[in-house]
Amino acid sequence: MRNDIFAGTALLVMSLSVGASAQVPPDIAAGIHKIGPIVDAPNTAKLYASLFQNQKEPYPNVAVMRDIAYGPDTLNKLDIFTPNGAQNAGRTVVIYVHGGGFERGDKRQGGTPFYDNLMLWLTQQGAVGVNINYRLAPKNVWPAAHEDLAAVMRWVKANIAQYGGDPNRVVLWGQSAGASLIAGYLAHPQFYGPGGHGVKGAILNSGFYDNGGMGSNYFGKDPKELAERSSVEGMKKLNIPLLISHTEVDLPDAILQAGQVKKALCDAGRCPTYLELKDHSHMSQNYSIGTSDVSLSGPVLEFIRKIK
């Protein structure tokens, strides 16, 4: 029997407006607006440092397993966070996929609370958190990272029960390139085949779903291949709930692409839950998880609770 806080009784996909109820502390909001719509992880992290002064290992009431190999590459590693307690099976599993333009980023940003903050918050809700690394460009190009996420899904299916998770109740959560990677995995059945993608729902923060015409070191430069490797067409065929978001102080293309994919999905009869996070930036939204600012964590919790 599942008794974690993510237990839900009905599937509901809706639009949520959190702008009016955003709870970014005023001093942090001012700092975010001063930094502006760019990726500035170090200075954004400094804005949140004081809110995580008590987040130090060993963490209370949680078991942490680091750098478990799910594949042969040195980047094929994942961390698992499991809440301590009487329940040792059947917990919702949430897999987090970091961003970084497919060229940088890490599941654990050295010298900061991130992204352990997300894992700890998930355990506080009674879930099992899985935080992954994956192969990066320019050394590794399409489809390496997507194949890695597929390998993570296979590993979780085979192994997560021993950590208290339900292998049949997996939610994916990613930001920026992490959201793009999740969307690409779900949109292209070549990565999972007739057995299905194994996902109950997906949370996509400030992702990029159409590769456009410029390309990248990971996706390549060929226009035909860029179109084939985009996610929008495949996302229209998904039958799982999606939460798609962008922030007020986001990268302009992230705002544009969130709106475009929302319209494409709604036109296909598959409207997602859709958020614009007031006073947040591309980086700050996920740094806020685990603080009193629930402008993202509140809707995420509500979204996952409603997944069957």
Side-chain angles (χ1 to χ4, degrees), residues 52-60 62-66 79-81 108 112-113 116 120:
F52 291 98
Q53 288 178 343
N54 296 323
Q55 182 180 300
K56 296 174 180 163
E57 291 190 88
Y59 302 129
V62 58
V64 179
M65 286 66 66
R66 300 272 189 195
D79 298 343
I80 299 177
F81 284 57
R108 193 181 190 198
T112 79
D116 278 10
L120 294 171

Side-chain angles (χ1 to χ4, degrees), residues 261-298:
V261 77
K262 175 195 175 186
K263 182 180 186 304
L265 292 174
C266 289
D267 287 349
R270 301 185 183 277
C271 274
T273 300
Y274 189 78
L275 307 175
E276 177 183 350
L277 301 174
K278 187 176 185 297
D279 289 328
H280 270 301
S281 70
H282 198 69
M283 299 304 299
S284 69
Q285 54 189 318
N286 298 89
Y287 291 174
S288 74
I289 303 297
T291 74
S292 60
D293 171 13
V294 297
S295 39
L296 178 57
S297 61

Side-chain angles (χ1 to χ4, degrees), residues 62 66 79-82 94-97 107 115-124 127-132 173 289:
V62 58
R66 300 272 189 195
D79 298 343
I80 299 177
F81 284 57
T82 301
V94 182
I95 301 171
Y96 185 73
V97 187
K107 59 185 168 61
Y115 291 102
D116 278 10
N117 64 310
L118 280 91
M119 296 293 104
L120 294 171
W121 179 79
L122 287 166
T123 64
Q124 290 164 7
V128 174
V130 180
N131 201 1
I132 74 165
W173 182 1
I289 303 297

